[in-house]
Amino acid sequence: MRNPHNEPLDADNCDDDRGPVRKCVLTGARAERDVLIRLALGPQGQVLPDVRAKAPGRGAWIGVVRAELEVAIAKGRLKGVLTRAFKTGEFQLPADLPALIAAQLERVVLDRLGLEAKAGHVVIGHERIDKAARGGSIRLLLHASDAGADGSRKLDQAWRVGSEAEGSALRGIVVPLSRAILSIALGRENVVHLGINNPGAAGRLRAALDRWLHYIGPELAGAACETSSQGATALAIGTATRDVVENI
């Protein structure tokens, strides 16, 4: 198992049956490393997000949402806990740290989409998605923030039919990404909806989405959707990261 340099496994950073487990320095809550966010101390003393957990040097993990992080920064709590984690107070917290984290998490989602598309795991086009969904081969359904409500509703119903879940609340996730952004990420034109037809790919993408949506929170995610669509529909956040955070 890879462990970032100078970040020893101890009571706060250990492994269990779930895999690598880390402790949020702000709440004390423990969770799998992949649902937390690592902050790394750079060589020039700057604190920067390391959401892929690949940067060398000392690191600290957080599991709070963006709004809670902003409060922790304003009250000086983050600086205090990082001083203990890094064993030094000689570092700089960038004023836009919460935004930097959000941007990195969004980038991870877009990169994951691109990788899964190259592997042939992404279905685009309303008719193709409808056919695949009714055939039971869609494992995850996503809608752009500016997707039409009628088109999304029809594909949601097709997915329920193919999943033998008619009458249930099963529906696609409205992501805070416009069709323009999704089109660029996939190298295609007018990507409004997309389906994932591979279970492993669906799990990987859902994990990246859950971590990003959990961090930005429903209010910011909804605002991002509204900006893009002038009237966003609701988004569904998975359960993978819901229990990570306690109030600070």
Side-chain angles (χ1 to χ4, degrees), residues 18-194:
R18 297 173 296 173
V21 173
R22 299 293 181 264
K23 178 180 178 181
C24 172
V25 294
L26 282 169
T27 69
R30 289 178 172 81
E32 294 175 69
R33 188 182 68 180
D34 290 343
V35 303
L36 300 179
I37 297 164
R38 185 175 186 262
L39 301 178
L41 180 60
Q44 305 302 319
Q46 72 276 32
V47 176
L48 295 173
D50 176 31
V51 301
R52 300 179 194 268
K54 293 183 177 180
R58 290 194 175 276
W61 299 81
I62 58 172
V64 295
V65 301
R66 178 171 178 168
E68 293 170 327
L69 178 61
E70 290 170 346
V71 171
I73 292 173
K75 292 183 176 181
R77 290 199 61 227
L78 182 63
K79 183 174 179 60
V81 296
L82 290 183
T83 296
R84 292 191 291 274
F86 295 150
K87 304 186 186 304
T88 178
E90 299 299 319
F91 57 80
Q92 298 85 44
L93 283 174
D96 58 347
L97 179 62
L100 291 174
I101 294 173
Q104 281 198 14
L105 291 174
E106 178 180 338
R107 184 73 260 165
V108 169
V109 170
L110 294 173
D111 288 348
R112 174 50 56 190
L113 270 174
L115 288 171
E116 300 303 348
K118 289 180 180 178
H121 299 154
V122 177
V123 181
I124 60 175
H126 195 285
E127 292 184 3
R128 293 183 62 195
I129 296 172
D130 183 89
K131 181 178 179 180
R134 292 182 183 277
S137 62
I138 294 299
R139 305 301 180 184
L140 179 64
L141 178 63
L142 304 181
H143 306 301
S145 61
D146 51 354
D150 186 58
S152 298
R153 184 169 57 252
K154 289 177 179 178
L155 289 179
D156 289 345
Q157 177 59 20
W159 193 25
R160 286 192 289 271
V161 170
S163 302
E164 299 183 352
E166 292 181 80
S168 74
L170 180 66
R171 60 181 177 178
I173 301 174
V174 180
V175 294
L177 297 168
S178 69
R179 66 182 71 191
I181 294 175
L182 290 175
S183 298
I184 293 172
L186 296 176
R188 303 292 293 272
E189 293 184 0
N190 199 32
V191 179
V192 183
H193 314 276
L194 62 93

Side-chain angles (χ1 to χ4, degrees), residues 4-16:
H5 182 60
N6 285 341
E7 192 171 316
L9 295 177
D10 53 26
D12 293 339
N13 299 313
C14 56
D15 293 357
D16 64 12

